[in-house]
């Protein structure tokens, strides 16, 4: 299908203790080509690799929710929440 799909399949098979455990997920991902097309499947596999979504359900969800057409939100560098009631690192020492 394409290089991103091949990388995702290779990664899924490499992460399993026995490669046979990843065959069904990989076949399901390849089967998504028919309803969604080559370009969307490639984009979904690239996004799945970026977010570490190494499963059939992750790729299917990305395609179903049209997330392959949007860029993922950049990660925030600072703390998630700033509030006066949140304990800082000095509290535990």
């Amino acid at each position: 299908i394409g290089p991103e799909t091949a990388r995702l399949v290779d990664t899924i098979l490499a992460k399993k203790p026995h490669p046979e455990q990843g065959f069904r997920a990989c076949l399901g991902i390849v089967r998504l080509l028919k309803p969604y097309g080559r370009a969307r499947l490639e984009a979904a596999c690239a996004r799945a690799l970026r977010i570490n979504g190494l499963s059939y359900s992750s790729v299917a969800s990305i395609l179903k929710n049209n997330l392959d057409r949007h860029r993922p939100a950049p990660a925030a560098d600072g703390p998630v929440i700033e509030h006066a009631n949140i304990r800082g690192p000095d509290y535990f020492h």
Side-chain angles (χ1 to χ4, degrees):
I1 294 172
E4 297 297 328
T5 306
R7 271 191 29 211
L8 180 63
V9 167
D10 288 341
T11 305
I12 290 172
L13 294 177
K15 293 275 183 181
K16 300 290 182 181
H18 303 287
E20 295 83 8
Q21 294 173 339
F23 284 169
R24 286 188 65 155
C26 295
L27 288 175
I29 290 169
V30 170
R31 247 184 262 123
L32 290 171
L33 174 67
K34 193 170 190 174
Y36 291 104
R38 181 179 305 262
R40 288 200 60 201
L41 182 58
E42 271 295 293
C45 288
R47 185 178 177 113
L49 284 165
R50 271 195 308 270
I51 64 170
N52 205 23
L54 306 176
S55 65
Y56 165 79
S57 59
S58 293
V59 177
S61 176
I62 290 168
L63 289 166
K64 179 183 172 193
N65 295 309
N66 294 321
L67 297 175
D68 56 302
R69 296 178 176 172
H70 305 290
R71 290 180 164 231
D77 291 335
V80 179
I81 299 174
E82 290 197 24
H83 192 274
N85 291 336
I86 295 178
R87 300 175 189 153
D90 296 332
Y91 180 84
F92 297 100
H93 295 285

